[in-house]
Amino acid sequence: MRQLKIKKVDDKPMIIHTKAKTKIHSHEAKSTGIKGHNVYSVKRSPKIMSATTTTQTMGKGAVRRRGKTTYRKSTIHQNQEKRRGRIHQHNRNIKDDKKTIKTKNSSIKLVGAVGANVAANQMEGAEEIRDASMIAYGVTRPMTGAASKGAEFFRQKSLAEKKRKIKKVESGRKLSRRQIKKTTQKVAKKAAKDTAKKVAKETAKKSAKVATKVTTDVAVTVAGTAAVGPLSPLIGIAAGEVVGAKIDHDDMKRNSRVRKIKFFIDKMNSQDKQQDSLFKLLKDLVMNRAAIPLKKMALAVGGFLLILILLISVITVPVVTVVATIYNSPFALFLPPLEEGDTVMSVTTEYVANFNREANTLANEHNGYDRGEIVYVDYEGTAASPSNYYDIMCVYMVKHGIGDTATIMNDMSKDWLQDIVNDMCSYTTSSRTETHENGDGTTDSETILSVNVTLKDYRDMITEYNFDEDQIELINEMMSPENLAMIGYSGGESGGGSGSGNSVSSLTNTEIEAIVSSIADPTQKETVSFALSKVGYPYSQAYRDTGIYYDCSSLAYYSWKTAGVDISFGGATTAAAEAQGLDEAGKSITEADLQPGDLIFYSYTTNGRYKNISHVGIYTGNGKMVEAKNEAEGVVYGDFHNGSVVMYARPNK
């Protein structure tokens, strides 16, 4: 057997240098699709650089200069160049197909391949070995190409299957989203429908429960909408029931209160228009106790009951709404109280009584004085004990009752009311000495303590509280005779028989002509005709000069002024000023001399004015007179009365 002889280039050890984890890319035509593994190539330099450059030993047969690796030239290099040309042509073909096959290499395999190639270059017959390898590669190429095509076919099939699965999943997702959206819309519609039914039923059944049940229905809607799925309406209803159960007891109280309001409103009508009864009231209160089971039954009845309830709501809701609005306005003063216990009237009565008690105690005790008296400063009217009780309540309601239920008397509202009483009711004290002559020619003197009470009316408070136009309109309406009569105001107690009998508040022109037909004096006839024409006009001290309202002294003044006689005195037209001017002019007369048109002056209380006069009337003849009495009655025609009269006068005397 012939042995191979290896020709050594030199005695230096062969050192192989490789870079760590070198990646070699090769290309292959699309027709093959081979992905190769463990294929290595080493690029050799065609020649050796100058030996004078500093070298670093890297391995057998290789040196590194300035970071580059070169190999020694051998006799086999020419063959390698030919073979390299064929490989280069083959690589161009692969590159044209633009199919890249990435090959992962490790340092150890690369070292082995390079070492094997260098070793083969040093052996005899190395070229035959490489030729045999190329023949083997050519024989196996069709098989590897077929395998690659098969692998590519299965890979494409796998990708297509994945795409079909992805498309199916996406379609399922779209269908799911459409189904969720559709379900959500159905849930929202059902929740809204349930809410509408609840609101309609509860509105007709319980007026005061409307505001509270709105909260419950909103809770049902929110809960039903928030939940997603077929059970969401049930979830919403359950949430609403939890909220509603907590307030059912309070609702029963409010329902009873509203029913009482309806009863009292009906009783405010005239007898022939009343339709409510105590039996009906008791029946409704008992039924209210069964509100919870009735509500459950109503929910089960269905559409017919809903239509019936809606019809009832059209009738009852506006009425209840009006009443609820009034209870949140100053006019709540004229309605029955919503709660037991203190009311605006009872608290005002208590505060006014405390004030009067304090003033009377001071006058009655009159410590250090011979006598005490209460002086109602500048009061003009028919009351023996003047009071601004109704003015106080109306001012309080206008100031604190707009947009709020001021009729509910808690600690805060009581403090508000007390402040108003303090502003409208006050007193000061003064003293004087009076000397009296005795029948025997001697004189006595006494000291008098005067408690000067000032009672402001609502007109004074309009200015003091700076009410706006709406508030002025409200308080004028509240102080009208019609509204004051609803809370029992009759103009105050009359003294000295001022409450004359057989009074009327209207006269026809024929009746007026019959009354004045027997009056001979034209001035007196004109005066009486004017006064009688104002019978039925409302009473007002604030608007006494408007020609629409009159008080006692303005009626007397304008009646005589129409006839051409001015009875004012010192620029004032109060009853006391008119009396003082006529008395000082010598125009006073006696009761026995009364004629139509004569003036009758009364003193019902001490007011500090001339002869404490606080009222005046006009005599019309035949035992009759005309007078503007008070806010409740206005200008009336009735019997002459002489109680508390202090003076008579004839202006044209």
Side-chain angles (χ1 to χ4, degrees):
M1 180 182 292
R2 190 179 60 182
Q3 293 182 353
L4 295 176
K5 295 181 180 181
I6 298 173
K7 184 180 178 180
K8 294 182 180 180
V9 178
D10 53 27
D11 295 333
K12 294 182 178 179
M14 183 179 62
I15 299 174
I16 300 174
H17 173 266
T18 62
K19 294 183 180 179
K21 298 182 180 179
T22 302
K23 296 181 181 180
I24 300 175
H25 296 274
S26 62
H27 300 273
E28 181 179 351
K30 290 183 179 180
S31 59
T32 60
I34 295 175
K35 182 177 181 181
H37 294 277
N38 301 326
V39 178
Y40 306 95
S41 63
V42 178
K43 183 177 181 181
R44 294 181 175 86
S45 176
K47 60 182 178 178
I48 300 174
M49 300 296 292
S50 176
T52 59
T53 305
T54 304
T55 62
Q56 179 181 355
T57 301
M58 301 298 297
K60 186 175 182 181
V63 294
R64 175 178 291 276
R65 291 184 177 90
R66 298 180 181 177
K68 296 182 180 179
T69 304
T70 60
Y71 296 84
R72 298 179 181 275
K73 190 175 182 180
S74 67
T75 58
I76 309 175
H77 285 172
Q78 293 179 353
N79 295 331
Q80 288 178 344
E81 289 295 330
K82 295 178 182 180
R83 192 164 52 252
R84 190 176 296 115
R86 292 194 298 271
I87 293 173
H88 182 67
Q89 181 63 35
H90 179 68
N91 287 342
R92 279 203 305 270
N93 294 335
I94 294 175
K95 184 176 182 181
D96 291 338
D97 292 334
K98 297 183 179 179
K99 187 69 176 179
T100 302
I101 301 176
K102 296 183 179 180
T103 304
K104 298 181 181 180
N105 301 310
S106 65
S107 298
I108 298 176
K109 291 182 179 180
L110 183 60
V111 171
V114 173
N117 192 31
V118 172
N121 291 335
Q122 305 300 323
M123 293 187 302
E124 294 181 358
E127 185 175 356
E128 289 81 0
I129 294 174
R130 283 191 289 272
D131 292 339
S133 297
M134 294 300 296
I135 293 171
Y137 169 75
V139 173
T140 59
R141 183 173 179 179
M143 292 184 291
T144 57
S148 298
K149 289 182 179 180
E152 178 67 13
F153 172 78
F154 285 108
R155 186 177 67 83
Q156 293 295 336
K157 185 176 181 180
S158 176
L159 289 176
E161 183 65 19
K162 289 182 180 180
K163 287 181 180 180
R164 283 195 298 272
K165 289 183 179 180
I166 291 172
K167 185 174 181 181
K168 186 176 181 180
V169 170
E170 290 297 328
S171 299
R173 288 178 180 176
K174 291 181 180 179
L175 180 62
S176 177
R177 285 195 292 268
R178 286 197 297 268
Q179 185 64 28
I180 291 172
K181 183 178 181 181
K182 185 176 180 181
T183 303
T184 303
Q185 291 175 347
K186 288 183 179 180
V187 169
K189 289 181 180 178
K190 181 171 179 59
K193 184 177 180 181
D194 293 341
T195 301
K197 289 182 180 180
K198 281 178 176 263
V199 172
K201 292 177 182 179
E202 296 301 328
T203 300
K205 192 174 180 182
K206 304 180 183 71
S207 61
K209 191 177 179 180
V210 170
T212 307
K213 275 302 175 185
V214 167
T215 304
T216 303
D217 294 335
V218 170
V220 173
T221 304
V222 171
T225 306
V228 176
L231 297 179
S232 59
L234 298 178
I235 296 173
I237 293 172
E241 289 299 324
V242 171
V243 177
K246 184 178 180 181
I247 58 176
D248 279 340
H249 182 70
D250 293 336
D251 288 340
M252 282 191 285
K253 284 187 175 182
R254 282 190 286 270
N255 294 337
S256 299
R257 190 177 302 157
V258 170
R259 184 59 185 89
K260 292 176 184 178
I261 291 172
K262 293 180 181 179
F263 176 79
F264 285 119
I265 291 175
D266 183 75
K267 292 307 173 185
M268 290 180 183
N269 298 327
S270 58
Q271 188 69 28
D272 57 337
K273 294 183 180 179
Q274 293 182 8
Q275 298 180 354
D276 207 348
S277 65
L278 184 60
F279 175 78
K280 292 180 181 179
L281 175 64
L282 294 176
K283 182 191 71 174
D284 291 339
L285 293 178
V286 171
M287 290 297 294
N288 183 48
R289 291 288 180 180
I292 297 177
L294 287 176
K295 184 180 76 171
K296 294 181 179 179
M297 293 176 60
L299 292 175
V301 171
F304 177 76
L305 181 60
L306 177 61
I307 296 174
L308 181 62
I309 289 175
L310 290 174
L311 292 176
I312 296 174
S313 300
V314 172
I315 301 173
T316 59
V317 168
V319 176
V320 176
T321 301
V322 170
V323 174
T325 301
I326 294 176
Y327 266 105
N328 283 276
S329 74
F331 290 97
L333 177 67
F334 305 108
L335 296 179
L338 294 176
E339 296 183 349
E340 297 180 356
D342 294 329
T343 64
V344 177
M345 293 184 182
S346 64
V347 176
T348 303
T349 300
E350 178 185 353
Y351 291 166
V352 170
N354 291 339
F355 172 79
N356 290 334
R357 187 182 305 110
E358 184 178 347
N360 280 290
T361 299
L362 190 59
N364 292 334
E365 292 179 355
H366 55 79
N367 295 326
Y369 299 90
D370 297 323
R371 182 167 59 90
E373 65 179 6
I374 294 180
V375 178
Y376 293 95
V377 179
D378 295 331
Y379 171 73
E380 185 169 286
T382 60
S385 299
S387 175
N388 56 357
Y389 168 78
Y390 292 96
D391 296 69
I392 290 172
M393 289 192 297
C394 290
V395 170
Y396 164 75
M397 291 302 297
V398 170
K399 185 173 176 61
H400 298 290
I402 297 178
D404 197 4
T405 306
T407 53
I408 298 177
M409 301 307 295
N410 50 35
D411 292 340
M412 179 179 293
S413 57
K414 288 181 180 180
D415 290 340
W416 290 341
L417 183 54
Q418 182 66 72
D419 291 339
I420 291 176
V421 171
N422 294 340
D423 291 338
M424 297 181 68
C425 302
S426 60
Y427 66 82
T428 61
T429 59
S430 61
S431 61
R432 69 180 187 275
T433 300
E434 292 184 355
T435 301
H436 306 283
E437 293 184 0
N438 299 323
D440 58 1
T442 61
T443 59
D444 292 328
S445 62
E446 62 176 351
T447 57
I448 303 171
L449 174 66
S450 296
V451 180
N452 306 303
V453 175
T454 299
L455 301 177
K456 297 179 181 178
D457 60 18
Y458 74 94
R459 296 177 295 273
D460 300 318
M461 304 316 293
I462 288 175
T463 302
E464 186 167 331
Y465 287 154
N466 194 27
F467 282 169
D468 57 28
E469 293 182 1
D470 292 336
Q471 291 174 312
I472 293 173
E473 183 179 355
L474 280 174
I475 199 166
N476 285 331
E477 180 66 21
M478 294 179 69
M479 290 297 296
S480 66
E482 296 80 11
N483 284 324
L484 290 177
M486 294 176 61
I487 52 178
Y489 179 64
S490 61
E493 289 188 17
S494 299
S498 66
S500 58
N502 302 318
S503 296
V504 296
S505 297
S506 64
L507 291 172
T508 65
N509 290 334
T510 302
E511 290 172 333
I512 294 174
E513 288 295 331
I515 294 171
V516 301
S517 61
S518 60
I519 302 175
D521 186 281
T523 302
Q524 294 174 346
K525 184 176 182 177
E526 183 70 20
T527 299
V528 174
S529 296
F530 182 88
L532 292 173
S533 69
K534 303 307 176 186
V535 171
Y537 274 58
Y539 181 99
S540 174
Q541 293 184 1
Y543 305 104
R544 62 197 298 271
D545 297 319
T546 62
I548 301 175
Y549 297 84
Y550 291 92
D551 66 355
C552 64
S553 55
S554 65
L555 180 64
Y557 172 76
Y558 286 109
S559 295
W560 275 100
K561 185 178 181 180
T562 301
V565 180
D566 187 357
I567 62 174
S568 64
F569 177 73
T573 58
T574 63
E578 293 168 353
Q580 184 176 357
L582 294 173
D583 194 17
E584 292 181 1
K587 298 181 182 296
S588 60
I589 60 173
T590 63
E591 182 178 340
D593 296 331
L594 281 175
Q595 295 179 9
D598 290 345
L599 299 179
I600 310 164
F601 295 96
Y602 299 86
S603 175
Y604 294 124
T605 189
T606 303
N607 62 5
R609 292 180 174 179
Y610 183 75
K611 294 185 178 183
N612 292 316
I613 291 173
S614 59
H615 185 62
V616 61
I618 303 170
Y619 187 69
T620 60
N622 300 320
K624 297 290 186 177
M625 64 180 294
V626 176
E627 59 181 331
K629 292 184 67 174
N630 49 52
E631 288 88 350
E633 300 180 66
V635 180
V636 298
Y637 171 73
D639 295 337
F640 162 71
H641 54 91
N642 59 5
S644 302
V645 173
V646 294
M647 178 181 162
Y648 301 96
R650 185 175 299 144
N652 63 338
K653 178 181 177 182

